[in-house]
Amino acid sequence: MRQRTLTLQQIYREGTEALKKAGIQEAAVDAWLLLSYVTGFDKAAYYGNPGAEMTEEAEQRYQVCINRRRRRIPLQHITGEQEFMGYSFLVNEHVLIPRQDTETLVEEALKYLQPGCRILDLCTGSGCIILSLLKIGGERLKIKELSGEGTDISGDALKTAVKNARRLTVKADFFRGDLFENAEGTYDMIVSNPPYIPTRVIEGLQDEVRLYDPYIALDGKEDGLHFYRRITADSVHYCKPGSRLLFEIGSEQGKEVSALMEKAGYREICVKKDLTGLDRVVSGVYNGE
Ligand code: GLN
């Protein structure tokens, strides 16, 4: 027998309280998003009838979600998705949850897309960068004959990227490899959001990131620059004059990454800021020398 009958409003309040007690920062936001996930209600439906009763089955599912969130499991791992550039991407423990910061990289790359562009995304993870570029570049901006490839060292990440391509109805090739390992030919654009957090910094990150984002997607080794060094040095074998390399960077890495690119033969190097005013993207053009 059911012990009690709760309204949406009551259960939303209880969920918020439970998350607050567990020290979750955005307790009310998360409690709402989980309620919406379980019931399928949007805010308008909820406020239209907050006194509606929740079914026992929905209440139980909501409790399970709240309990998982209390254990610091990221909201996106519970709902299985994250919005990025206006599209919904599948996410799981094998891929870094797409961040709003990374939209700066996509926004910047979109400026340089030309018809026929061949694009490579290194450390593709969920595929959110390359798929957004192809989707927005091809469908919204109507840039013709774009082609895109994404590579990752993790086979499980690639499986997620392939599912996301299907979900967004975008054609892209995904292949496994350590950076350029299985890349062939030259690209007009290379983009990457590689792991860039210095190893010693990782343990100080919030639990959701430290425990649940894939460690290999975060760890930029000793000084955080390991992958920028490797990618920049190797990229010149996959570029032609005029090819563009764009990186997402940690906010303190603008100078060093710019210097690496300069040394490898890139010009017109510029650092772009994200919406919060922090350095977030470095881009440059290969000049072939
Ligand atoms: N931006 C991510 C974070 O701050 C890190 C992503 C990365 O290392 N590429 O958690």
Side-chain angles (χ1 to χ4, degrees):
M1 262 295 281
R2 197 174 184 187
Q3 302 294 312
R4 54 181 199 165
T5 307
L6 285 182
T7 64
L8 284 174
Q9 189 177 42
Q10 284 167 323
I11 200 154
Y12 176 22
R13 284 206 184 125
E14 285 190 5
T16 304
E17 263 328 292
L19 293 186
K20 242 190 226 163
K21 272 205 198 112
I24 304 288
Q25 251 177 10
E26 306 263 4
V29 175
D30 287 10
W32 163 255
L33 290 171
L34 291 173
L35 189 69
S36 173
Y37 168 65
V38 167
T39 60
F41 275 32
D42 62 12
K43 278 260 161 99
Y46 170 76
Y47 284 116
N49 191 5
E53 282 179 14
M54 222 166 156
T55 65
E56 188 172 4
E57 186 266 343
E59 187 194 330
Q60 277 170 4
R61 281 199 295 135
Y62 186 65
Q63 289 309 343
V64 171
C65 291
I66 291 287
N67 285 336
R68 295 186 75 201
R69 188 69 193 96
R70 283 170 58 192
R71 300 206 316 271
R72 299 281 166 161
I73 295 176
L75 187 83
Q76 298 88 336
H77 285 186
I78 302 171
T79 62
E81 58 185 16
Q82 169 65 37
E83 186 265 349
F84 180 80
M85 295 303 291
Y87 301 103
S88 165
F89 287 85
L90 294 174
V91 296
N92 52 46
E93 70 274 27
H94 304 299
V95 300
L96 189 85
I97 297 170
R99 315 284 209 253
Q100 194 177 17
D101 295 342
T102 307
E103 294 184 342
T104 311
L105 173 63
V106 175
E107 197 182 358
E108 198 55 26
L110 283 171
K111 293 183 190 163
Y112 302 105
L113 284 185
Q114 300 281 344
C117 234
R118 184 172 186 234
I119 315 161
L120 176 65
D121 176 18
L122 298 166
C123 314
T124 195
S126 65
C128 66
I129 298 171
I130 188 69
L131 294 174
S132 299
L133 282 174
L134 294 172
K135 185 88 184 165
I136 297 172
E139 288 182 17
R140 295 261 172 94
L141 304 175
K142 309 250 182 265
I143 303 167
K144 297 249 185 307
E145 311 210 1
L146 296 177
S147 68
E149 296 166 31
T151 183
D152 205 289
I153 200 163
S154 157
D156 287 325
L158 290 170
K159 280 186 201 149
T160 311
V162 167
K163 283 188 196 152
N164 278 322
R166 243 181 261 139
R167 188 174 164 100
L168 268 67
T169 59
V170 172
K171 205 180 139 312
D173 290 323
F174 290 102
F175 57 91
R176 191 166 175 189
D178 184 7
L179 303 182
F180 290 99
E181 189 180 17
N182 292 313
E184 270 175 27
T186 56
Y187 296 89
D188 303 289
M189 181 181 279
I190 299 171
V191 292
S192 185
N193 172 19
Y196 58 66
I197 308 205
T199 306
R200 67 177 187 289
V201 174
I202 295 178
E203 65 184 42
L205 298 177
Q206 62 184 37
D207 286 356
E208 285 83 345
V209 176
R210 184 173 65 86
L211 301 176
Y212 296 105
D213 271 319
Y215 189 83
I216 59 162
L218 300 171
D219 184 19
K221 315 277 180 192
E222 198 177 337
D223 63 357
L225 298 170
H226 175 84
F227 292 96
Y228 299 112
R229 285 196 192 91
R230 286 182 55 196
I231 293 172
T232 305
D234 291 353
S235 66
V236 301
H237 305 298
Y238 300 88
C239 281
K240 52 195 175 200
S243 295
R244 191 167 278 272
L245 175 63
L246 298 105
F247 282 123
E248 174 171 325
I249 55 159
S251 56
E252 311 287 312
Q253 296 169 325
K255 276 212 182 81
E256 286 113 319
V257 174
S258 298
L260 288 171
M261 287 176 63
E262 172 104 41
K263 200 171 126 211
Y266 288 89
R267 300 294 174 256
E268 297 175 41
I269 295 165
C270 51
V271 180
K272 296 278 168 180
K273 293 188 189 303
D274 62 24
L275 287 172
T276 65
L278 297 172
D279 287 352
R280 190 57 63 196
V281 170
V282 183
S283 110
V285 181
Y286 187 58
N287 83 340
E289 282 164 24

